[in-house]
């Protein structure tokens, strides 16, 4: 079992790194809203795990886990959208030339 201060410290690091990644490739608001709605049941499931049982005891630990899940989801979505945009930009000159 992980202690609550360790979960909070790791969660803050995850939130900061994921936020830095998502700032560069920010997805549309409606997608971020969907990530937030999906993150609540996912984080609730994570908090039920025995390894995170101590973090789920307090509000700070609980919301750190929830915000970390939201941040990671938003960062992954932004990275995926960035790849799709780069692929489309790479194909755009081929269409114009053809």
């Amino acid at each position: 079992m992980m202690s609550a201060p360790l979960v909070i410290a790791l969660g803050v690091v995850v939130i900061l790194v994921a936020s830095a990644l998502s700032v560069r490739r920010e997805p549309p608001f409606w997608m971020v809203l969907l990530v937030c709605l999906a993150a609540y049941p996912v984080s609730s499931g994570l908090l039920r795990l025995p390894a995170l049982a101590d973090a789920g005891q307090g509000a700070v630990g609980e919301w750190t886990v929830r915000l970390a899940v939201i941040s990671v989801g938003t960062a992954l979505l932004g990275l995926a959208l960035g790849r799709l945009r780069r692929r489309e930009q790479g194909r755009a000159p081929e269409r114009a030339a053809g």
Side-chain angles (χ1 to χ4, degrees):
M1 292 189 356
M2 297 177 74
S3 65
L6 179 62
V7 170
I8 292 169
L10 290 175
V12 168
V13 170
V14 168
I15 291 168
L16 292 175
V17 170
S19 297
L21 287 173
S22 64
V23 165
R24 184 170 173 148
R25 297 178 184 98
E26 187 173 346
F29 177 73
W30 66 271
M31 288 184 171
V32 175
L33 185 61
L34 289 177
V35 168
C36 291
L37 291 173
Y40 189 81
V42 170
S43 61
S44 295
L46 286 174
L47 288 169
R48 286 190 205 115
L49 294 175
L52 295 176
D54 289 341
Q57 303 281 326
V60 174
E62 183 178 326
W63 280 101
T64 300
V65 171
R66 293 190 196 285
L67 289 175
V69 170
I70 291 170
S71 297
V72 168
T74 304
L76 291 175
L77 185 62
L79 290 172
L81 289 175
R83 284 187 179 175
L84 288 174
R85 289 178 188 152
R86 277 186 277 154
R87 284 184 187 168
E88 289 177 5
Q89 288 175 354
R91 292 180 185 170
E94 293 174 7
R95 291 182 195 159

